[in-house]
Amino acid sequence: MKKKKLIYLLNSLAFVFLTLLSACKEKQKEIETSTEETQLVSEDLKWSERMLLSEMHRFPEAWMLDFHDKPKWSYPNGLVLNAARRVYEETGNEKYYDYIYGYPDTMVNDDGSIRTYGLEKQNLDMLKSGDVLLYVYDKTQEERFKKAIDVLRKQIDSQPRTSDGGFWHKKRYPHQMWLDGLFMAEPFYAAYTQTYVDGEEAQKAYDDIVHQFDLIQEHNYDAETGLLYHGWDESKEQIWADEETGTSPNFWSRAMGWYGMALVDVLDYLPEDYEGRTRLITYLNQFAEAIAKVQDEETGLWYQVLDQGDREGNYLEATGSSMFTYTLAKGVNKGYLPKDYMNVAKKGFNGITQELISVEDNGVVNLNQCCAVAGLSADRDGSFDYYINEQKRSNDPKGTGAFILASLELDK
C-alpha cells in the first residue's frame, strides 16, 4: 500500500515538474518573440542597411523623407533614394526597391507631370530626384516616368545663367552660383546625357557640365585654404557678397560636401576618354587635400564652419562629415585619389559612428547633430553666427543619405 502511495506521489511530482517546465519554455518563447518583435533593426546588418531600415521606419512612405506631412517633389528624397538603390543592388531585398518606386509612383501623374514641381521656378534643387526617375524608368519602362524625365531635362535648357554660362541656383536667386547646385543638377544632367544623347550633342552637354565645375573653381575657390565659399554673386549686390569678389564670407561644411559628392558622382557618367575628366579629378584632389587639413584631429569629424573649429559655438556637424567621408572613400575606390585618403575617410566614419550615432532599444539608428538647413539670402548673410545658429536636428536626410553612401563605400 505504501509502495503504491509512493509511486502515486512520484508520478504527481513528475507531472507538476513537467507542467512547470512546459510553462517556463512557453514563457521563454514569449519573451524571445516579444524581443524579436521590438527589435526593428538588427545590429548584425551593415551600417548602410541599418540606417536605411531606420529611415523606412521613420518615414514609411518615401515622400515623407525630410519630415514632409504631404507629398512634395524635393531633393532630399532623391539623395536618400539613390542611396537606397545602392543598398537594394547589394542586398536584392525587394522591399527596398518597393520603397524607392513608391516615390515616383506617388509624385508622377499619368501624363508625366510632377506633383508640386514648377518649371517656372527654375530651381536646380528640383533636378536631384530626377536621378530616381532615370533608375525607375530603366526598370519599369513606364512611359509617364520618361515624360517626367524629359520635363526635368527641359529645365536645363531654360535655366537662367551668369554671363559666363553658370546656372543660377534658382530664378529667385539671380546671378548666383552655389556649391549646392552642382550636386543637384550635374549628376542628373550627366546621367541623362550618357543614356539618351550621343555624338556632338553629347559632347556639347559634357562640356557644359564640366564648365559648371570650372566656374565654381574660378569664382568660389580660395587659394590660401583650398576650400570653396558657399556662394558667388556675379552682380555683387547681395548682402552676403564680398564687394570685390562676390563670394559669401565663409566655408560651410555641407556646401563643400555637396560639391565633393557632385565631383565623384558626375565622374560615373563622363566617358573614359573625355578630356574634361582630368580637370574634375584635379579639382577632386585639391578638394581632398583641403578637407583633410580641416578634419578634427581628435574625433575625425568636421565642423559646421570648416576652418574655425576653435571658435565658440562651432560644432562637429553630421551631414558634412558624412558627405566628406563618402567623397573621399569613393574617390579612393574609383582610383581618383591616393590610397592614403581612405585613412581620412575611415577616421571620419569612425567619428560619426562613435560621436554622432545613437541606437534605440529597438535597433533604430539615429544620426545626430545635423544642420537642418542653411542658405544665402537677404536674411541669411552667410556669417559665422548665421551658420552656427541655424536649427540642428537628428536624422536629417541630407545626412542619413550621405551616411548610407559612405557606409557602402567603406563596406561597414
mmCIF file with all atom_site columns, all heavy atoms in Angstrom, residues 225-227 253 256-257 260 285-296 301-302 306 320 324-325 327-328 341 344:
data_model
loop_
_atom_site.group_PDB
_atom_site.id
_atom_site.type_symbol
_atom_site.label_atom_id
_atom_site.label_alt_id
_atom_site.label_comp_id
_atom_site.label_asym_id
_atom_site.label_entity_id
_atom_site.label_seq_id
_atom_site.pdbx_PDB_ins_code
_atom_site.Cartn_x
_atom_site.Cartn_y
_atom_site.Cartn_z
_atom_site.occupancy
_atom_site.B_iso_or_equiv
_atom_site.pdbx_formal_charge
_atom_site.auth_seq_id
_atom_site.auth_comp_id
_atom_site.auth_asym_id
_atom_site.auth_atom_id
_atom_site.pdbx_PDB_model_num
ATOM 1   N N   . THR A 1 225 ? 43.385 78.481 -48.614 1.00 0.00 ? 225 THR A N   1
ATOM 2   C CA  . THR A 1 225 ? 42.949 77.294 -47.858 1.00 0.00 ? 225 THR A CA  1
ATOM 3   C C   . THR A 1 225 ? 42.643 76.088 -48.731 1.00 0.00 ? 225 THR A C   1
ATOM 4   O O   . THR A 1 225 ? 42.617 74.958 -48.248 1.00 0.00 ? 225 THR A O   1
ATOM 5   C CB  . THR A 1 225 ? 41.688 77.618 -47.037 1.00 0.00 ? 225 THR A CB  1
ATOM 6   O OG1 . THR A 1 225 ? 40.618 77.939 -47.949 1.00 0.00 ? 225 THR A OG1 1
ATOM 7   C CG2 . THR A 1 225 ? 41.926 78.785 -46.094 1.00 0.00 ? 225 THR A CG2 1
ATOM 8   N N   . GLY A 1 226 ? 42.369 76.327 -50.000 1.00 0.00 ? 226 GLY A N   1
ATOM 9   C CA  . GLY A 1 226 ? 41.918 75.244 -50.877 1.00 0.00 ? 226 GLY A CA  1
ATOM 10  C C   . GLY A 1 226 ? 40.434 74.954 -50.734 1.00 0.00 ? 226 GLY A C   1
ATOM 11  O O   . GLY A 1 226 ? 39.898 74.096 -51.438 1.00 0.00 ? 226 GLY A O   1
ATOM 12  N N   . LEU A 1 227 ? 39.765 75.647 -49.827 1.00 0.00 ? 227 LEU A N   1
ATOM 13  C CA  . LEU A 1 227 ? 38.330 75.470 -49.614 1.00 0.00 ? 227 LEU A CA  1
ATOM 14  C C   . LEU A 1 227 ? 37.545 76.350 -50.584 1.00 0.00 ? 227 LEU A C   1
ATOM 15  O O   . LEU A 1 227 ? 38.096 77.244 -51.232 1.00 0.00 ? 227 LEU A O   1
ATOM 16  C CB  . LEU A 1 227 ? 37.970 75.824 -48.167 1.00 0.00 ? 227 LEU A CB  1
ATOM 17  C CG  . LEU A 1 227 ? 38.674 74.987 -47.086 1.00 0.00 ? 227 LEU A CG  1
ATOM 18  C CD1 . LEU A 1 227 ? 38.416 75.570 -45.699 1.00 0.00 ? 227 LEU A CD1 1
ATOM 19  C CD2 . LEU A 1 227 ? 38.219 73.529 -47.143 1.00 0.00 ? 227 LEU A CD2 1
ATOM 20  N N   . SER A 1 253 ? 30.305 73.681 -44.145 1.00 0.00 ? 253 SER A N   1
ATOM 21  C CA  . SER A 1 253 ? 30.595 72.257 -44.270 1.00 0.00 ? 253 SER A CA  1
ATOM 22  C C   . SER A 1 253 ? 29.743 71.590 -45.351 1.00 0.00 ? 253 SER A C   1
ATOM 23  O O   . SER A 1 253 ? 30.272 70.943 -46.258 1.00 0.00 ? 253 SER A O   1
ATOM 24  C CB  . SER A 1 253 ? 30.375 71.576 -42.912 1.00 0.00 ? 253 SER A CB  1
ATOM 25  O OG  . SER A 1 253 ? 30.600 70.192 -42.992 1.00 0.00 ? 253 SER A OG  1
ATOM 26  N N   . MET A 1 256 ? 30.440 72.458 -49.052 1.00 0.00 ? 256 MET A N   1
ATOM 27  C CA  . MET A 1 256 ? 31.608 71.728 -49.543 1.00 0.00 ? 256 MET A CA  1
ATOM 28  C C   . MET A 1 256 ? 31.276 70.256 -49.761 1.00 0.00 ? 256 MET A C   1
ATOM 29  O O   . MET A 1 256 ? 31.781 69.610 -50.689 1.00 0.00 ? 256 MET A O   1
ATOM 30  C CB  . MET A 1 256 ? 32.766 71.872 -48.552 1.00 0.00 ? 256 MET A CB  1
ATOM 31  C CG  . MET A 1 256 ? 33.515 73.195 -48.647 1.00 0.00 ? 256 MET A CG  1
ATOM 32  S SD  . MET A 1 256 ? 34.599 73.296 -50.092 1.00 0.00 ? 256 MET A SD  1
ATOM 33  C CE  . MET A 1 256 ? 35.908 72.157 -49.659 1.00 0.00 ? 256 MET A CE  1
ATOM 34  N N   . GLY A 1 257 ? 30.428 69.712 -48.899 1.00 0.00 ? 257 GLY A N   1
ATOM 35  C CA  . GLY A 1 257 ? 30.006 68.317 -49.058 1.00 0.00 ? 257 GLY A CA  1
ATOM 36  C C   . GLY A 1 257 ? 29.252 68.094 -50.353 1.00 0.00 ? 257 GLY A C   1
ATOM 37  O O   . GLY A 1 257 ? 29.482 67.107 -51.065 1.00 0.00 ? 257 GLY A O   1
ATOM 38  N N   . GLY A 1 260 ? 31.811 68.068 -53.209 1.00 0.00 ? 260 GLY A N   1
ATOM 39  C CA  . GLY A 1 260 ? 32.599 66.841 -53.293 1.00 0.00 ? 260 GLY A CA  1
ATOM 40  C C   . GLY A 1 260 ? 31.798 65.688 -53.865 1.00 0.00 ? 260 GLY A C   1
ATOM 41  O O   . GLY A 1 260 ? 32.283 64.936 -54.735 1.00 0.00 ? 260 GLY A O   1
ATOM 42  N N   . ASN A 1 285 ? 41.160 66.203 -56.211 1.00 0.00 ? 285 ASN A N   1
ATOM 43  C CA  . ASN A 1 285 ? 42.375 66.063 -55.403 1.00 0.00 ? 285 ASN A CA  1
ATOM 44  C C   . ASN A 1 285 ? 42.653 67.337 -54.596 1.00 0.00 ? 285 ASN A C   1
ATOM 45  O O   . ASN A 1 285 ? 43.080 67.255 -53.440 1.00 0.00 ? 285 ASN A O   1
ATOM 46  C CB  . ASN A 1 285 ? 43.563 65.720 -56.305 1.00 0.00 ? 285 ASN A CB  1
ATOM 47  C CG  . ASN A 1 285 ? 43.655 64.225 -56.593 1.00 0.00 ? 285 ASN A CG  1
ATOM 48  O OD1 . ASN A 1 285 ? 44.355 63.494 -55.902 1.00 0.00 ? 285 ASN A OD1 1
ATOM 49  N ND2 . ASN A 1 285 ? 42.922 63.761 -57.597 1.00 0.00 ? 285 ASN A ND2 1
ATOM 50  N N   . GLN A 1 286 ? 42.395 68.495 -55.169 1.00 0.00 ? 286 GLN A N   1
ATOM 51  C CA  . GLN A 1 286 ? 42.517 69.733 -54.417 1.00 0.00 ? 286 GLN A CA  1
ATOM 52  C C   . GLN A 1 286 ? 41.534 69.760 -53.255 1.00 0.00 ? 286 GLN A C   1
ATOM 53  O O   . GLN A 1 286 ? 41.873 70.162 -52.137 1.00 0.00 ? 286 GLN A O   1
ATOM 54  C CB  . GLN A 1 286 ? 42.258 70.932 -55.343 1.00 0.00 ? 286 GLN A CB  1
ATOM 55  C CG  . GLN A 1 286 ? 43.312 71.137 -56.409 1.00 0.00 ? 286 GLN A CG  1
ATOM 56  C CD  . GLN A 1 286 ? 42.929 72.241 -57.393 1.00 0.00 ? 286 GLN A CD  1
ATOM 57  O OE1 . GLN A 1 286 ? 41.799 72.720 -57.404 1.00 0.00 ? 286 GLN A OE1 1
ATOM 58  N NE2 . GLN A 1 286 ? 43.882 72.641 -58.224 1.00 0.00 ? 286 GLN A NE2 1
ATOM 59  N N   . PHE A 1 287 ? 40.325 69.324 -53.540 1.00 0.00 ? 287 PHE A N   1
ATOM 60  C CA  . PHE A 1 287 ? 39.270 69.253 -52.531 1.00 0.00 ? 287 PHE A CA  1
ATOM 61  C C   . PHE A 1 287 ? 39.693 68.345 -51.377 1.00 0.00 ? 287 PHE A C   1
ATOM 62  O O   . PHE A 1 287 ? 39.585 68.704 -50.208 1.00 0.00 ? 287 PHE A O   1
ATOM 63  C CB  . PHE A 1 287 ? 38.000 68.721 -53.207 1.00 0.00 ? 287 PHE A CB  1
ATOM 64  C CG  . PHE A 1 287 ? 36.852 68.435 -52.287 1.00 0.00 ? 287 PHE A CG  1
ATOM 65  C CD1 . PHE A 1 287 ? 35.858 69.373 -52.077 1.00 0.00 ? 287 PHE A CD1 1
ATOM 66  C CD2 . PHE A 1 287 ? 36.739 67.208 -51.644 1.00 0.00 ? 287 PHE A CD2 1
ATOM 67  C CE1 . PHE A 1 287 ? 34.790 69.107 -51.232 1.00 0.00 ? 287 PHE A CE1 1
ATOM 68  C CE2 . PHE A 1 287 ? 35.681 66.928 -50.798 1.00 0.00 ? 287 PHE A CE2 1
ATOM 69  C CZ  . PHE A 1 287 ? 34.704 67.884 -50.593 1.00 0.00 ? 287 PHE A CZ  1
ATOM 70  N N   . ALA A 1 288 ? 40.174 67.158 -51.706 1.00 0.00 ? 288 ALA A N   1
ATOM 71  C CA  . ALA A 1 288 ? 40.551 66.179 -50.687 1.00 0.00 ? 288 ALA A CA  1
ATOM 72  C C   . ALA A 1 288 ? 41.673 66.717 -49.793 1.00 0.00 ? 288 ALA A C   1
ATOM 73  O O   . ALA A 1 288 ? 41.648 66.545 -48.563 1.00 0.00 ? 288 ALA A O   1
ATOM 74  C CB  . ALA A 1 288 ? 40.980 64.876 -51.350 1.00 0.00 ? 288 ALA A CB  1
ATOM 75  N N   . GLU A 1 289 ? 42.645 67.351 -50.404 1.00 0.00 ? 289 GLU A N   1
ATOM 76  C CA  . GLU A 1 289 ? 43.762 67.912 -49.625 1.00 0.00 ? 289 GLU A CA  1
ATOM 77  C C   . GLU A 1 289 ? 43.263 68.963 -48.641 1.00 0.00 ? 289 GLU A C   1
ATOM 78  O O   . GLU A 1 289 ? 43.656 68.978 -47.464 1.00 0.00 ? 289 GLU A O   1
ATOM 79  C CB  . GLU A 1 289 ? 44.790 68.529 -50.572 1.00 0.00 ? 289 GLU A CB  1
ATOM 80  C CG  . GLU A 1 289 ? 46.007 69.092 -49.852 1.00 0.00 ? 289 GLU A CG  1
ATOM 81  C CD  . GLU A 1 289 ? 47.020 69.702 -50.808 1.00 0.00 ? 289 GLU A CD  1
ATOM 82  O OE1 . GLU A 1 289 ? 46.786 69.687 -52.037 1.00 0.00 ? 289 GLU A OE1 1
ATOM 83  O OE2 . GLU A 1 289 ? 48.060 70.208 -50.318 1.00 0.00 ? 289 GLU A OE2 1
ATOM 84  N N   . ALA A 1 290 ? 42.369 69.828 -49.108 1.00 0.00 ? 290 ALA A N   1
ATOM 85  C CA  . ALA A 1 290 ? 41.857 70.900 -48.246 1.00 0.00 ? 290 ALA A CA  1
ATOM 86  C C   . ALA A 1 290 ? 40.990 70.348 -47.123 1.00 0.00 ? 290 ALA A C   1
ATOM 87  O O   . ALA A 1 290 ? 41.082 70.803 -45.974 1.00 0.00 ? 290 ALA A O   1
ATOM 88  C CB  . ALA A 1 290 ? 41.057 71.900 -49.086 1.00 0.00 ? 290 ALA A CB  1
ATOM 89  N N   . ILE A 1 291 ? 40.165 69.373 -47.438 1.00 0.00 ? 291 ILE A N   1
ATOM 90  C CA  . ILE A 1 291 ? 39.264 68.783 -46.436 1.00 0.00 ? 291 ILE A CA  1
ATOM 91  C C   . ILE A 1 291 ? 40.060 68.037 -45.363 1.00 0.00 ? 291 ILE A C   1
ATOM 92  O O   . ILE A 1 291 ? 39.751 68.109 -44.171 1.00 0.00 ? 291 ILE A O   1
ATOM 93  C CB  . ILE A 1 291 ? 38.252 67.845 -47.133 1.00 0.00 ? 291 ILE A CB  1
ATOM 94  C CG1 . ILE A 1 291 ? 37.182 68.668 -47.848 1.00 0.00 ? 291 ILE A CG1 1
ATOM 95  C CG2 . ILE A 1 291 ? 37.603 66.893 -46.140 1.00 0.00 ? 291 ILE A CG2 1
ATOM 96  C CD1 . ILE A 1 291 ? 36.384 69.574 -46.940 1.00 0.00 ? 291 ILE A CD1 1
ATOM 97  N N   . ALA A 1 292 ? 41.071 67.316 -45.776 1.00 0.00 ? 292 ALA A N   1
ATOM 98  C CA  . ALA A 1 292 ? 41.885 66.570 -44.811 1.00 0.00 ? 292 ALA A CA  1
ATOM 99  C C   . ALA A 1 292 ? 42.557 67.513 -43.811 1.00 0.00 ? 292 ALA A C   1
ATOM 100 O O   . ALA A 1 292 ? 42.714 67.171 -42.633 1.00 0.00 ? 292 ALA A O   1
ATOM 101 C CB  . ALA A 1 292 ? 42.932 65.740 -45.545 1.00 0.00 ? 292 ALA A CB  1
ATOM 102 N N   . LYS A 1 293 ? 42.932 68.699 -44.267 1.00 0.00 ? 293 LYS A N   1
ATOM 103 C CA  . LYS A 1 293 ? 43.616 69.651 -43.380 1.00 0.00 ? 293 LYS A CA  1
ATOM 104 C C   . LYS A 1 293 ? 42.710 70.193 -42.282 1.00 0.00 ? 293 LYS A C   1
ATOM 105 O O   . LYS A 1 293 ? 43.198 70.568 -41.217 1.00 0.00 ? 293 LYS A O   1
ATOM 106 C CB  . LYS A 1 293 ? 44.172 70.820 -44.205 1.00 0.00 ? 293 LYS A CB  1
ATOM 107 C CG  . LYS A 1 293 ? 45.387 70.462 -45.035 1.00 0.00 ? 293 LYS A CG  1
ATOM 108 C CD  . LYS A 1 293 ? 45.870 71.659 -45.840 1.00 0.00 ? 293 LYS A CD  1
ATOM 109 C CE  . LYS A 1 293 ? 47.090 71.303 -46.685 1.00 0.00 ? 293 LYS A CE  1
ATOM 110 N NZ  . LYS A 1 293 ? 47.536 72.445 -47.525 1.00 0.00 ? 293 LYS A NZ  1
ATOM 111 N N   . VAL A 1 294 ? 41.405 70.247 -42.532 1.00 0.00 ? 294 VAL A N   1
ATOM 112 C CA  . VAL A 1 294 ? 40.499 70.811 -41.528 1.00 0.00 ? 294 VAL A CA  1
ATOM 113 C C   . VAL A 1 294 ? 39.713 69.728 -40.784 1.00 0.00 ? 294 VAL A C   1
ATOM 114 O O   . VAL A 1 294 ? 38.790 70.030 -40.030 1.00 0.00 ? 294 VAL A O   1
ATOM 115 C CB  . VAL A 1 294 ? 39.525 71.836 -42.151 1.00 0.00 ? 294 VAL A CB  1
ATOM 116 C CG1 . VAL A 1 294 ? 40.269 73.071 -42.596 1.00 0.00 ? 294 VAL A CG1 1
ATOM 117 C CG2 . VAL A 1 294 ? 38.730 71.222 -43.307 1.00 0.00 ? 294 VAL A CG2 1
ATOM 118 N N   . GLN A 1 295 ? 40.076 68.464 -40.966 1.00 0.00 ? 295 GLN A N   1
ATOM 119 C CA  . GLN A 1 295 ? 39.453 67.390 -40.191 1.00 0.00 ? 295 GLN A CA  1
ATOM 120 C C   . GLN A 1 295 ? 39.857 67.518 -38.727 1.00 0.00 ? 295 GLN A C   1
ATOM 121 O O   . GLN A 1 295 ? 41.032 67.762 -38.422 1.00 0.00 ? 295 GLN A O   1
ATOM 122 C CB  . GLN A 1 295 ? 39.884 66.034 -40.738 1.00 0.00 ? 295 GLN A CB  1
ATOM 123 C CG  . GLN A 1 295 ? 39.204 64.839 -40.063 1.00 0.00 ? 295 GLN A CG  1
ATOM 124 C CD  . GLN A 1 295 ? 39.654 63.510 -40.657 1.00 0.00 ? 295 GLN A CD  1
ATOM 125 O OE1 . GLN A 1 295 ? 40.810 63.356 -41.073 1.00 0.00 ? 295 GLN A OE1 1
ATOM 126 N NE2 . GLN A 1 295 ? 38.746 62.547 -40.719 1.00 0.00 ? 295 GLN A NE2 1
ATOM 127 N N   . ASP A 1 296 ? 38.889 67.362 -37.826 1.00 0.00 ? 296 ASP A N   1
ATOM 128 C CA  . ASP A 1 296 ? 39.204 67.433 -36.405 1.00 0.00 ? 296 ASP A CA  1
ATOM 129 C C   . ASP A 1 296 ? 40.087 66.253 -36.026 1.00 0.00 ? 296 ASP A C   1
ATOM 130 O O   . ASP A 1 296 ? 39.735 65.090 -36.249 1.00 0.00 ? 296 ASP A O   1
ATOM 131 C CB  . ASP A 1 296 ? 37.914 67.412 -35.583 1.00 0.00 ? 296 ASP A CB  1
ATOM 132 C CG  . ASP A 1 296 ? 38.179 67.511 -34.097 1.00 0.00 ? 296 ASP A CG  1
ATOM 133 O OD1 . ASP A 1 296 ? 38.794 68.498 -33.670 1.00 0.00 ? 296 ASP A OD1 1
ATOM 134 O OD2 . ASP A 1 296 ? 37.776 66.580 -33.364 1.00 0.00 ? 296 ASP A OD2 1
ATOM 135 N N   . LEU A 1 301 ? 35.922 64.161 -37.258 1.00 0.00 ? 301 LEU A N   1
ATOM 136 C CA  . LEU A 1 301 ? 34.757 64.822 -37.839 1.00 0.00 ? 301 LEU A CA  1
ATOM 137 C C   . LEU A 1 301 ? 35.135 66.195 -38.394 1.00 0.00 ? 301 LEU A C   1
ATOM 138 O O   . LEU A 1 301 ? 36.285 66.614 -38.327 1.00 0.00 ? 301 LEU A O   1
ATOM 139 C CB  . LEU A 1 301 ? 33.669 64.957 -36.772 1.00 0.00 ? 301 LEU A CB  1
ATOM 140 C CG  . LEU A 1 301 ? 33.160 63.631 -36.182 1.00 0.00 ? 301 LEU A CG  1
ATOM 141 C CD1 . LEU A 1 301 ? 32.263 63.879 -34.982 1.00 0.00 ? 301 LEU A CD1 1
ATOM 142 C CD2 . LEU A 1 301 ? 32.423 62.818 -37.247 1.00 0.00 ? 301 LEU A CD2 1
ATOM 143 N N   . TRP A 1 302 ? 34.133 66.875 -38.938 1.00 0.00 ? 302 TRP A N   1
ATOM 144 C CA  . TRP A 1 302 ? 34.344 68.209 -39.494 1.00 0.00 ? 302 TRP A CA  1
ATOM 145 C C   . TRP A 1 302 ? 33.345 69.195 -38.875 1.00 0.00 ? 302 TRP A C   1
ATOM 146 O O   . TRP A 1 302 ? 32.204 68.839 -38.577 1.00 0.00 ? 302 TRP A O   1
ATOM 147 C CB  . TRP A 1 302 ? 34.176 68.193 -41.007 1.00 0.00 ? 302 TRP A CB  1
ATOM 148 C CG  . TRP A 1 302 ? 35.342 67.602 -41.730 1.00 0.00 ? 302 TRP A CG  1
ATOM 149 C CD1 . TRP A 1 302 ? 36.425 68.263 -42.225 1.00 0.00 ? 302 TRP A CD1 1
ATOM 150 C CD2 . TRP A 1 302 ? 35.550 66.212 -42.061 1.00 0.00 ? 302 TRP A CD2 1
ATOM 151 N NE1 . TRP A 1 302 ? 37.294 67.390 -42.834 1.00 0.00 ? 302 TRP A NE1 1
ATOM 152 C CE2 . TRP A 1 302 ? 36.785 66.124 -42.750 1.00 0.00 ? 302 TRP A CE2 1
ATOM 153 C CE3 . TRP A 1 302 ? 34.811 65.050 -41.849 1.00 0.00 ? 302 TRP A CE3 1
ATOM 154 C CZ2 . TRP A 1 302 ? 37.296 64.913 -43.226 1.00 0.00 ? 302 TRP A CZ2 1
ATOM 155 C CZ3 . TRP A 1 302 ? 35.314 63.840 -42.305 1.00 0.00 ? 302 TRP A CZ3 1
ATOM 156 C CH2 . TRP A 1 302 ? 36.552 63.775 -42.990 1.00 0.00 ? 302 TRP A CH2 1
ATOM 157 N N   . LEU A 1 306 ? 34.034 75.237 -41.495 1.00 0.00 ? 306 LEU A N   1
ATOM 158 C CA  . LEU A 1 306 ? 35.134 74.281 -41.599 1.00 0.00 ? 306 LEU A CA  1
ATOM 159 C C   . LEU A 1 306 ? 36.454 74.728 -40.989 1.00 0.00 ? 306 LEU A C   1
ATOM 160 O O   . LEU A 1 306 ? 37.143 73.936 -40.343 1.00 0.00 ? 306 LEU A O   1
ATOM 161 C CB  . LEU A 1 306 ? 35.352 73.929 -43.068 1.00 0.00 ? 306 LEU A CB  1
ATOM 162 C CG  . LEU A 1 306 ? 34.318 72.988 -43.675 1.00 0.00 ? 306 LEU A CG  1
ATOM 163 C CD1 . LEU A 1 306 ? 34.480 72.927 -45.193 1.00 0.00 ? 306 LEU A CD1 1
ATOM 164 C CD2 . LEU A 1 306 ? 34.445 71.600 -43.076 1.00 0.00 ? 306 LEU A CD2 1
ATOM 165 N N   . GLY A 1 320 ? 27.790 67.244 -43.242 1.00 0.00 ? 320 GLY A N   1
ATOM 166 C CA  . GLY A 1 320 ? 29.051 67.485 -43.939 1.00 0.00 ? 320 GLY A CA  1
ATOM 167 C C   . GLY A 1 320 ? 30.049 66.377 -43.688 1.00 0.00 ? 320 GLY A C   1
ATOM 168 O O   . GLY A 1 320 ? 30.735 65.919 -44.611 1.00 0.00 ? 320 GLY A O   1
ATOM 169 N N   . PHE A 1 324 ? 31.775 64.199 -46.675 1.00 0.00 ? 324 PHE A N   1
ATOM 170 C CA  . PHE A 1 324 ? 33.219 64.132 -46.901 1.00 0.00 ? 324 PHE A CA  1
ATOM 171 C C   . PHE A 1 324 ? 33.709 62.687 -46.857 1.00 0.00 ? 324 PHE A C   1
ATOM 172 O O   . PHE A 1 324 ? 34.556 62.279 -47.659 1.00 0.00 ? 324 PHE A O   1
ATOM 173 C CB  . PHE A 1 324 ? 33.961 64.963 -45.848 1.00 0.00 ? 324 PHE A CB  1
ATOM 174 C CG  . PHE A 1 324 ? 33.621 66.430 -45.876 1.00 0.00 ? 324 PHE A CG  1
ATOM 175 C CD1 . PHE A 1 324 ? 33.548 67.162 -44.700 1.00 0.00 ? 324 PHE A CD1 1
ATOM 176 C CD2 . PHE A 1 324 ? 33.373 67.080 -47.072 1.00 0.00 ? 324 PHE A CD2 1
ATOM 177 C CE1 . PHE A 1 324 ? 33.237 68.511 -44.721 1.00 0.00 ? 324 PHE A CE1 1
ATOM 178 C CE2 . PHE A 1 324 ? 33.061 68.431 -47.105 1.00 0.00 ? 324 PHE A CE2 1
ATOM 179 C CZ  . PHE A 1 324 ? 32.993 69.149 -45.920 1.00 0.00 ? 324 PHE A CZ  1
ATOM 180 N N   . THR A 1 325 ? 33.182 61.931 -45.909 1.00 0.00 ? 325 THR A N   1
ATOM 181 C CA  . THR A 1 325 ? 33.582 60.527 -45.788 1.00 0.00 ? 325 THR A CA  1
ATOM 182 C C   . THR A 1 325 ? 33.242 59.765 -47.057 1.00 0.00 ? 325 THR A C   1
ATOM 183 O O   . THR A 1 325 ? 34.057 58.992 -47.582 1.00 0.00 ? 325 THR A O   1
ATOM 184 C CB  . THR A 1 325 ? 32.890 59.892 -44.569 1.00 0.00 ? 325 THR A CB  1
ATOM 185 O OG1 . THR A 1 325 ? 33.262 60.608 -43.389 1.00 0.00 ? 325 THR A OG1 1
ATOM 186 C CG2 . THR A 1 325 ? 33.291 58.438 -44.410 1.00 0.00 ? 325 THR A CG2 1
ATOM 187 N N   . THR A 1 327 ? 32.728 61.055 -50.122 1.00 0.00 ? 327 THR A N   1
ATOM 188 C CA  . THR A 1 327 ? 33.512 61.570 -51.251 1.00 0.00 ? 327 THR A CA  1
ATOM 189 C C   . THR A 1 327 ? 34.926 60.999 -51.260 1.00 0.00 ? 327 THR A C   1
ATOM 190 O O   . THR A 1 327 ? 35.418 60.536 -52.296 1.00 0.00 ? 327 THR A O   1
ATOM 191 C CB  . THR A 1 327 ? 33.569 63.107 -51.191 1.00 0.00 ? 327 THR A CB  1
ATOM 192 O OG1 . THR A 1 327 ? 32.244 63.641 -51.278 1.00 0.00 ? 327 THR A OG1 1
ATOM 193 C CG2 . THR A 1 327 ? 34.411 63.664 -52.316 1.00 0.00 ? 327 THR A CG2 1
ATOM 194 N N   . LEU A 1 328 ? 35.576 61.010 -50.107 1.00 0.00 ? 328 LEU A N   1
ATOM 195 C CA  . LEU A 1 328 ? 36.952 60.516 -50.034 1.00 0.00 ? 328 LEU A CA  1
ATOM 196 C C   . LEU A 1 328 ? 37.024 59.015 -50.277 1.00 0.00 ? 328 LEU A C   1
ATOM 197 O O   . LEU A 1 328 ? 37.891 58.532 -51.020 1.00 0.00 ? 328 LEU A O   1
ATOM 198 C CB  . LEU A 1 328 ? 37.555 60.866 -48.676 1.00 0.00 ? 328 LEU A CB  1
ATOM 199 C CG  . LEU A 1 328 ? 37.707 62.365 -48.374 1.00 0.00 ? 328 LEU A CG  1
ATOM 200 C CD1 . LEU A 1 328 ? 38.188 62.581 -46.940 1.00 0.00 ? 328 LEU A CD1 1
ATOM 201 C CD2 . LEU A 1 328 ? 38.660 63.035 -49.360 1.00 0.00 ? 328 LEU A CD2 1
ATOM 202 N N   . TYR A 1 341 ? 44.033 58.640 -48.588 1.00 0.00 ? 341 TYR A N   1
ATOM 203 C CA  . TYR A 1 341 ? 42.796 59.327 -48.195 1.00 0.00 ? 341 TYR A CA  1
ATOM 204 C C   . TYR A 1 341 ? 41.753 58.368 -47.638 1.00 0.00 ? 341 TYR A C   1
ATOM 205 O O   . TYR A 1 341 ? 40.792 58.816 -47.001 1.00 0.00 ? 341 TYR A O   1
ATOM 206 C CB  . TYR A 1 341 ? 42.228 60.114 -49.376 1.00 0.00 ? 341 TYR A CB  1
ATOM 207 C CG  . TYR A 1 341 ? 42.976 61.400 -49.619 1.00 0.00 ? 341 TYR A CG  1
ATOM 208 C CD1 . TYR A 1 341 ? 43.771 61.560 -50.752 1.00 0.00 ? 341 TYR A CD1 1
ATOM 209 C CD2 . TYR A 1 341 ? 42.903 62.458 -48.712 1.00 0.00 ? 341 TYR A CD2 1
ATOM 210 C CE1 . TYR A 1 341 ? 44.467 62.740 -50.977 1.00 0.00 ? 341 TYR A CE1 1
ATOM 211 C CE2 . TYR A 1 341 ? 43.597 63.637 -48.922 1.00 0.00 ? 341 TYR A CE2 1
ATOM 212 C CZ  . TYR A 1 341 ? 44.378 63.775 -50.057 1.00 0.00 ? 341 TYR A CZ  1
ATOM 213 O OH  . TYR A 1 341 ? 45.079 64.940 -50.257 1.00 0.00 ? 341 TYR A OH  1
ATOM 214 N N   . VAL A 1 344 ? 41.718 58.816 -44.015 1.00 0.00 ? 344 VAL A N   1
ATOM 215 C CA  . VAL A 1 344 ? 40.957 60.003 -43.614 1.00 0.00 ? 344 VAL A CA  1
ATOM 216 C C   . VAL A 1 344 ? 39.469 59.661 -43.578 1.00 0.00 ? 344 VAL A C   1
ATOM 217 O O   . VAL A 1 344 ? 38.748 60.037 -42.649 1.00 0.00 ? 344 VAL A O   1
ATOM 218 C CB  . VAL A 1 344 ? 41.222 61.179 -44.579 1.00 0.00 ? 344 VAL A CB  1
ATOM 219 C CG1 . VAL A 1 344 ? 40.462 62.424 -44.131 1.00 0.00 ? 344 VAL A CG1 1
ATOM 220 C CG2 . VAL A 1 344 ? 42.711 61.477 -44.678 1.00 0.00 ? 344 VAL A CG2 1
#
